[in-house]
Amino acid sequence: MPERFRESPQAIEPNMGPVNTKMQDLLNRCLYLPKRHPLEIEYYDWDKIRPRSIDPDFVNCLRFVALVESNPDAPAKNLLRAADAGGATWQRRFVEETWLPEEHMHGVVLRELAIRCGTSQPLIDEEIEQVRAREFTIGTNYSSLKTNIYGWLQEATTWMFYRAMASATDNPVIKKVLTDISTQENFHRFIYFQGAKSTLANNPNLSRQVVETVGEFVMPGYVMAPELQPEAPRWAKKFNFPTSTLLHEEVTGLLGLVGHQGLGKSLIAYGAKNSPLPLLRPLLSLLSKASIPPVYYLTGRAVEEVSKRDQERQNKV
């Protein structure tokens, strides 16, 4: 696979004509897939939920995701601003016609689910107002490509988190709500990744933006629900979140976008801020700011091998 990562300036006008043509065609062909539909409150038999039978910790996690999903208008502004600035007409269409309406309904349905499972309605409504009053600071100056990369990473994580939550409950109504939402998040993941892939295919000199986006990536919960976000890793472990599957998704995706060198530098940049070993962060920070292609390439190869082995082990379970 050719190495397409380049140490080139970011300020390059993207060639969006071919990208818009390809992505508009993709949206025309697969806007609504089997097993995927817009959500409505009326789809679910809420009376089959018995609050006393639901783990209070699970209910608290439902409250968390309801809060995170309660203000999609804030990130939508950044998505649309980036789309217009970069001439990504397909992205404006996707956000306005699909992403934003579906994300709105995720918030509505999850709020209802949290309340039906025992969350206080006045409490969650007050918290939702607080979420909507906060400034959403992620991606305020992103390009269209950066929003695609961020959207892919965020939606992949969200898709797998909802799927893990659905597997952790025996209640059919809760399971169906979470499964329906996860299916839509998976579609959003697919579209954002295809947008990034098409943009880079027509603008290979924008590869640096991929590295930068990965390096500064944080989930929206850090902004929207900062009081509950620290609980997310514990919930992920409790619900058997498929960490190796997510890693495989990210590694194979980045390999396809920026090759081994770009993969290696992306993960070094991310580790500089997020390594579980604080003493290692200064070294990773120096490596991420330097220009040492062999180190980035070897790191990418090593991470690819680890990801393959983890996925093979997971598939045998």
Side-chain angles (χ1 to χ4, degrees):
M1 179 179 297
E3 297 295 331
R4 292 164 44 198
F5 178 78
R6 298 289 184 271
E7 292 286 345
S8 54
Q10 177 180 317
I12 301 173
E13 286 297 324
N15 176 20
M16 292 304 296
V19 179
N20 286 325
T21 299
K22 181 172 183 177
M23 292 303 297
Q24 293 283 8
D25 181 60
L26 179 63
L27 293 177
N28 289 338
R29 287 187 287 113
C30 67
L31 198 56
Y32 288 94
L33 301 177
K35 299 183 181 180
R36 177 178 168 273
H37 55 78
L39 305 185
E40 298 288 347
I41 288 284
E42 294 76 17
Y43 288 161
Y44 307 102
D45 189 353
W46 302 105
D47 292 335
K48 289 186 176 180
I49 296 177
R50 298 290 181 265
R52 293 182 180 178
S53 67
I54 310 300
D55 176 10
D57 192 43
F58 189 92
V59 177
N60 211 30
C61 186
L62 287 175
R63 174 172 143 250
F64 165 64
V65 294
L67 294 178
V68 174
E69 299 275 13
S70 67
N71 189 26
D73 288 328
K77 291 179 182 178
N78 295 338
L79 290 168
L80 293 173
R81 185 186 301 114
D84 293 343
T89 56
W90 75 267
Q91 183 171 319
R92 171 166 279 279
R93 176 190 174 191
F94 172 63
V95 171
E96 289 184 330
E97 295 183 7
T98 302
W99 185 87
L100 186 55
E102 291 183 357
E103 293 292 341
H104 265 303
M105 289 311 301
H106 293 177
V108 170
V109 172
L110 286 168
R111 170 188 173 275
E112 183 71 18
L113 180 59
I115 292 170
R116 295 281 184 163
C117 288
T119 299
S120 163
Q121 181 173 337
L123 170 63
I124 196 169
D125 286 346
E126 179 182 352
E127 290 181 321
I128 286 173
E129 287 304 311
Q130 292 172 358
V131 170
R132 292 173 178 170
R134 290 191 183 104
E135 182 181 5
F136 188 78
T137 56
I138 300 173
T140 51
N141 295 309
Y142 273 7
S143 66
S144 174
L145 174 59
K146 281 192 166 187
T147 61
N148 292 169
I149 295 297
Y150 182 88
W152 162 53
L153 295 171
Q154 182 264 319
E155 297 285 9
T157 306
T158 306
W159 159 46
M160 294 184 192
F161 191 79
Y162 284 133
R163 194 172 61 178
M165 287 186 72
S167 298
T169 179
D170 294 327
N171 184 281
V173 179
I174 300 175
K175 187 180 291 289
K176 180 166 176 52
V177 170
L178 295 171
T179 299
D180 287 348
I181 293 176
S182 73
T183 302
Q184 292 191 347
E185 302 289 24
N186 186 27
F187 180 69
H188 301 166
R189 172 203 65 83
F190 170 74
I191 293 296
Y192 281 125
F193 182 77
Q194 292 302 315
K197 182 179 178 181
S198 183
T199 300
L200 282 169
N202 289 276
N203 304 275
N205 288 331
L206 297 180
S207 296
R208 171 179 283 191
Q209 294 188 28
V210 178
V211 176
E212 292 171 346
T213 309
V214 174
E216 60 196 21
F217 179 80
V218 293
M219 289 294 287
Y222 283 98
V223 175
M224 291 183 155
E227 297 85 1
L228 292 172
Q229 177 64 42
E231 295 291 319
R234 181 179 63 80
W235 284 322
K237 184 176 181 180
K238 181 175 182 177
F239 304 145
N240 294 315
F241 180 85
T243 303
S244 62
T245 303
L246 177 62
L247 178 62
H248 185 71
E249 161 81 15
E250 294 170 344
V251 168
T252 55
L254 287 170
L255 274 174
L257 295 175
V258 292
H260 290 96
Q261 189 176 318
L263 168 64
K265 187 162 187 179
S266 295
L267 296 182
I268 288 173
Y270 182 80
K273 293 183 178 180
N274 301 281
S275 173
L277 302 174
L279 294 177
L280 190 59
R281 292 175 190 173
L283 173 60
L284 294 175
S285 180
L286 288 173
L287 288 174
S288 69
K289 294 174 183 176
S291 179
I292 317 176
V295 171
Y296 306 146
Y297 177 82
L298 292 173
T299 300
R301 294 290 297 191
V303 171
E304 179 190 24
E305 186 61 30
V306 169
S307 174
K308 284 181 179 178
R309 291 181 180 178
D310 281 350
Q311 192 62 24
E312 289 172 358
R313 208 161 30 238
Q314 182 70 22
N315 291 337
K316 292 178 181 178
V317 176

